[in-house]
Amino acid sequence: MIKSLGLVAALLVATACGGGSSKKPDANTAPSEAGADASNCTSIAIGAQDLQDPGDGTYVLWGAPVTTDLGDGGTADLSFQFYSGIEPSLMGTFDLSMGNQNNYSTCAVCLVLGTTDSSGMPARSFFQTSGSVTLATDPVSGRQLTGSTSGVNLIEVTIDSSTFVSTPVAGGECLTLPDTTLSHNGAPNGYTCAAATYSDGTTCDCACGVLDADCFIEGAPVNGCPGQVCSANACANAVANDTCQTAVTLTVGTPVTGTTIGATSNYDSGLEGATCTTVSQPGGDVAYKVTLAAGTGYTFTLSNVDPTFDASISLVGPGAAAVCDADPIATCVAGADLGLEGDGETFSYTVPTGQGGTYYVIVDSFYPAPVEAGAFTVEVTSP
């Protein structure tokens, strides 16, 4: 069983992709959590419910912002999490103080609240200790949140980032959630296309306000962009230099403007190596070719990067365009991906003796093609 933390993963571990998962431990490892005296708990209010994570068919997460100031300096969010394969059914009434529901490591019906400090870093976690949740439909298989909560209290806990065991904090705060009607479909609030098309496992529905989770499926057909691709959640014409076979020629000393808007992801595996960018490059990528002389030093630079684009640059070769097609790419000799959105990148490389010839400059991104793309200027110089 996979326990996925979705948006509340940041409360436990810092991850580059904003989420995390781990094997769910045996239920017998979960300590019992004492109930809370509601008279000593702080009553909280929540805002509009929204889908947080559509899951993978074994779990799903909804949530809502906590509008009550809990004093940690940042925001607070309450996550309604549901996991299949733990209880015989995810329909009916679940006592949150008993059985699998009394610890985060074993719960099938889980209420988790997380706060951040003024800098946006995780501050505190809270988990259910009493009350009940009634579900009229199976939220995982039915992709609908339909039901209610009653008498729910949450206590301050720590959550182990490996086992997901929640442990009450001695003297920690207690929170009371007013009885709440649970009602939401299987799409985020900002999704403007039909809710049933969101994360349906088949088609990337593009330009729907919120990025369709199906757009992360490699090779998924695109809906809403006839003859185009989905790039940064917008329809775009395909770029001409999407592969090394169609690479644009660079002249040393001459800057060239380009864009990854409309590019697909062709090159990733092999670009994350220590001699290259050092991190994964699943973004939409474009290619340039340049002739380099043996024994000569060159500087490769990306500048004028769009402020919403986290770009990378790498150098593959020497050889024909087929050197880019190896999986993984075995001839990435240098690269850089040190900056964030809007930052330039640069590296230097001296061509070894006997290694002159045609090289390929690949502009890519740590973020997948549906998420980020943008314009830039690329230039190769030599002293």
Side-chain angles (χ1 to χ4, degrees):
M1 176 62 196
I2 299 298
K3 173 74 74 174
S4 176
L5 295 179
L7 296 183
V8 299
L11 300 172
L12 310 178
V13 287
T15 61
C17 299
S21 63
S22 175
K23 287 289 185 182
K24 193 175 180 70
D26 190 287
N28 292 330
T29 67
S32 177
E33 295 179 351
D37 179 1
S39 64
N40 295 323
C41 297
T42 300
S43 181
I44 61 171
I46 61 174
Q49 296 167 27
D50 198 3
L51 181 72
Q52 291 181 328
D53 186 340
D56 60 2
T58 65
Y59 74 94
V60 63
L61 282 63
W62 283 270
V66 176
T67 57
T68 304
D69 184 1
L70 296 180
D72 290 326
T75 61
D77 291 277
L78 178 62
S79 184
F80 303 95
Q81 306 183 15
F82 306 96
Y83 300 89
S84 63
I86 299 173
E87 301 291 351
S89 171
L90 280 177
M91 295 176 61
T93 298
F94 298 84
D95 186 334
L96 302 183
S97 68
M98 299 181 61
N100 290 324
Q101 306 343 306
N102 80 344
N103 196 277
Y104 183 59
S105 64
T106 57
C107 59
V109 178
C110 320
L111 275 62
V112 189
L113 188 151
T115 69
T116 63
D117 61 21
S118 58
S119 63
M121 296 299 293
R124 293 186 294 164
S125 303
F126 296 81
F127 182 71
Q128 62 208 27
T129 188
S130 60
S132 64
V133 170
T134 298
L135 298 173
T137 58
D138 184 321
V140 176
S141 63
R143 295 284 302 278
Q144 295 284 327
L145 180 60
T146 307
S148 61
T149 71
S150 177
V152 172
N153 292 320
L154 304 100
I155 56 173
E156 189 175 348
V157 298
T158 59
I159 302 179
D160 186 276
S161 60
S162 298
T163 65
F164 298 109
V165 169
S166 54
T167 302
V169 173
E173 188 173 3
C174 172
L175 306 175
T176 294
L177 175 69
D179 294 353
T180 301
T181 297
L182 303 177
S183 179
H184 204 280
N185 58 28
N189 291 340
Y191 192 71
T192 57
C193 296
T197 67
Y198 182 80
S199 191
D200 61 6
T202 59
T203 303
C204 167
D205 292 275
C206 195
C208 295
V210 173
L211 181 64
D212 182 6
D214 295 322
C215 294
F216 291 101
I217 301 174
E218 185 175 355
V222 177
N223 185 39
C225 302
Q228 296 180 303
V229 298
C230 188
S231 182
N233 199 27
C235 298
N237 293 322
V239 294
N241 59 328
D242 197 34
T243 67
C244 290
Q245 282 76 9
T246 59
V248 169
T249 300
L250 293 177
T251 300
V252 175
T254 302
V256 172
T257 59
T259 184
T260 59
I261 297 174
T264 57
S265 179
N266 299 293
Y267 310 120
D268 183 5
S269 181
L271 299 184
E272 78 287 355
T275 62
C276 198
T277 67
T278 73
V279 291
S280 181
Q281 301 295 326
D285 37 53
V286 291
Y288 299 85
K289 62 182 178 180
V290 61
T291 300
L292 305 179
T296 303
Y298 297 89
T299 299
F300 300 78
T301 304
L302 281 182
S303 59
N304 302 319
V305 178
D306 276 351
T308 57
F309 179 38
D310 181 5
S312 70
I313 183 172
S314 54
L315 182 66
V316 175
V323 299
C324 300
D325 298 332
D327 188 16
I329 293 173
T331 56
C332 184
V333 295
D337 188 6
L338 298 175
L340 301 175
E341 281 82 354
D343 292 339
E345 299 285 356
T346 186
F347 65 85
S348 296
Y349 179 70
T350 298
V351 181
T353 301
Q355 295 295 306
T358 300
Y359 284 76
Y360 295 87
V361 176
I362 298 174
V363 179
D364 210 319
S365 178
F366 171 81
Y367 293 100
V371 177
E372 285 193 7
F376 55 85
T377 299
V378 59
E379 185 176 14
V380 182
T381 58
S382 182

